[in-house]
Amino acid sequence: MEPVDLSTVGKSPVMTIAWKGELPGELVLLDQTKLPAEEVYLDCRTVEDVFGAIRRLSVRGAPAIGVAAAYGVLVGIQHAKDAELGSAFDATVARLAESRPTAVNLFWALDRMKRTFEATAGDEPSRRKRRLLEEAQTIHEEDRRMCADIGRHGAELLADGHRVLTHCNAGALATGGLGTALSVVYTAARQGKKLSVYADETRPLLQGARLTAWELSRADIPVTVICDGMVGTVMRQGRVDAVIVGADRITARGDVANKIGTYTVSVVAARHGVPFYVAAPVSTFDFDIVNGDDVPIEERSAEEITEGFGSRTAPYGVSTYNPAFDITPAENITAIITERGVIENPSEEKVRSHFSRD
């Protein structure tokens, strides 16, 4: 495919999520489990379709999960009879909430849809459905703008010639817009800065090798794939000028839950004096949790380790441990980049101050 024109920030290099039609309509998702070999789109017509897509990582990345969940509410209730709308709404929200436990954007988006549903309690059922669609579309559009704003603030931290290392995928594939961590790269490239990216594989599902490298290649940004175990060596050799990652949940004091392996990268970066940046929207912050150790961590199936992508890679009968996320403490983080600006050397006082701005 032809490289994507980065002359207009906010335009995504890929289509990850779309609502097709009005009401009734359907949610269309790029099936990221098929990348990079195939570009396949899923038509989600039932709540189980949406639940399955989120659960098996066909759609992934905290912001994208939130957008997909908002549209998933519509999928679940749009055909409900008037008298059954309330029960259908409750059942749909409850089911989608079970899909992934760590990404706070999922619950944030569902809460917004709940508030909209409650605020329209006196309206006709058709009007309530319409308002829910409008709210989901608003969440999607806000996500696009959020990505662009994160990119604008974060690009100031990168200089011409910088070599950036990223972990997992926090680009357009993980959001409804240009991405979080990769939005910083895309925006800096638009400004004329010549950048290159190291994408570590991100085991066990290889989101860095499969997704980040695929996405950056489409945007004509030089990318080098490395194994996770090579991160220390490339930093020790002075090949990395900055690390930028995304986040699935950020606590009140700035501890970050992100894809497993992020903590290790942060420790290596600190050892070698490489700035470690986290790019995430304000919706990713969870003020109900202060200490990162209290974040619920999803554990995924053993087969992701022992039979990754259809090939047996470990003996039968061995035990596995497969947490999907880990916690990077605030003291390992140089700055958190949000759509509101940059929180340098994050702490609870600085995070709360960031949110108290007009």
Side-chain angles (χ1 to χ4, degrees):
M1 297 184 180
E2 291 298 317
V4 173
D5 181 5
L6 292 176
S7 62
T8 55
V9 163
K11 181 177 170 121
S12 173
V14 294
M15 194 291 287
T16 306
I17 304 170
W19 180 260
K20 184 178 177 180
E22 289 293 325
L23 286 174
E26 62 190 56
L27 174 61
V28 180
L29 300 172
L30 175 61
D31 187 353
Q32 298 184 37
T33 66
K34 305 295 186 184
L35 294 174
E38 299 178 85
E39 194 168 329
V40 176
Y41 290 87
L42 303 173
D43 294 327
C44 298
R45 298 185 174 89
T46 69
V47 68
E48 288 304 314
D49 290 341
V50 182
F51 174 89
I54 295 173
R55 183 65 188 165
R56 68 175 173 268
L57 308 183
S58 290
V59 60
R60 34 136 314 274
I65 289 171
V67 174
Y71 284 129
V73 172
L74 271 298
V75 171
I77 61 96
Q78 62 181 341
H79 296 296
K81 295 179 181 179
D82 291 357
E84 299 170 351
L85 182 59
S87 59
F89 180 87
D90 291 342
T92 296
V93 169
R95 183 58 173 156
L96 293 173
E98 296 173 347
S99 58
R100 299 288 303 274
T102 302
V104 73
N105 299 65
L106 169 68
F107 306 100
W108 170 83
L110 292 176
D111 284 343
R112 279 188 56 168
M113 298 299 279
K114 283 182 187 177
R115 291 197 297 271
T116 299
F117 192 68
E118 292 166 357
T120 58
D123 293 351
E124 292 292 324
S126 59
R127 173 59 181 160
R128 299 184 82 181
K129 293 177 183 179
R130 180 67 203 175
R131 280 288 296 114
L132 288 169
L133 176 58
E134 291 170 353
E135 184 66 11
Q137 291 170 331
T138 297
I139 289 172
H140 196 172
E141 180 55 35
E142 288 175 357
D143 195 63
R144 292 191 188 98
R145 293 199 302 269
M146 170 274 295
C147 291
D149 289 341
I150 286 176
R152 178 168 51 84
H153 293 299
E156 297 177 6
L157 302 173
L158 297 182
D160 186 37
H162 262 181
R163 298 155 298 177
V164 176
L165 186 143
T166 190
H167 183 71
C168 197
N169 174 262
L173 289 169
T175 69
L178 202 60
T180 52
L182 292 192
S183 179
V184 175
V185 174
Y186 291 140
T187 305
R190 177 183 179 245
Q191 294 171 350
K193 297 172 184 175
K194 296 187 183 304
L195 307 175
S196 60
V197 175
Y198 282 101
D200 63 23
E201 285 181 305
T202 316
R203 294 180 179 271
L205 295 180
L206 308 181
Q207 292 96 329
R210 293 189 304 108
L211 306 180
T212 296
W214 180 81
E215 182 178 327
L216 289 170
S217 295
R218 286 174 59 103
D220 204 24
I221 290 176
V223 57
T224 301
V225 176
I226 60 173
C227 298
D228 292 6
M230 298 174 184
V231 167
T233 291
V234 297
M235 288 199 202
R236 186 171 183 272
Q237 292 174 342
R239 295 172 180 267
V240 178
D241 299 296
V243 176
I244 308 177
V245 301
D248 286 82
R249 189 180 300 215
I250 303 176
T251 72
R253 73 179 185 190
D255 295 342
V256 169
N258 194 50
K259 182 56 60 181
I260 189 72
T262 303
Y263 169 67
T264 304
V265 175
S266 76
V267 171
V268 176
R271 170 66 179 82
H272 294 287
V274 176
F276 185 94
Y277 301 118
V278 175
V282 297
S283 60
T284 305
F285 287 79
D286 184 353
F287 283 96
D288 291 333
I289 297 179
V290 176
N291 190 323
D293 293 336
D294 296 327
V295 174
I297 300 297
E298 174 186 2
E299 290 192 33
R300 297 185 62 80
S301 70
E303 288 73 23
E304 290 183 350
I305 295 176
T306 61
E307 299 179 26
F309 306 99
S311 298
R312 188 79 190 178
T313 55
Y316 287 100
V318 298
S319 298
T320 63
Y321 176 50
N322 189 19
F325 304 93
D326 60 21
I327 303 299
T328 298
E331 56 264 30
N332 287 15
I333 299 169
T334 305
I336 300 174
I337 308 160
T338 80
E339 64 268 42
R340 296 186 180 187
V342 177
I343 308 171
E344 296 182 352
N345 303 312
S347 64
E348 185 170 0
E349 180 182 2
K350 290 181 178 179
V351 168
R352 293 190 182 278
S353 175
H354 190 74
F355 278 78
S356 66
R357 300 174 186 172
D358 293 334

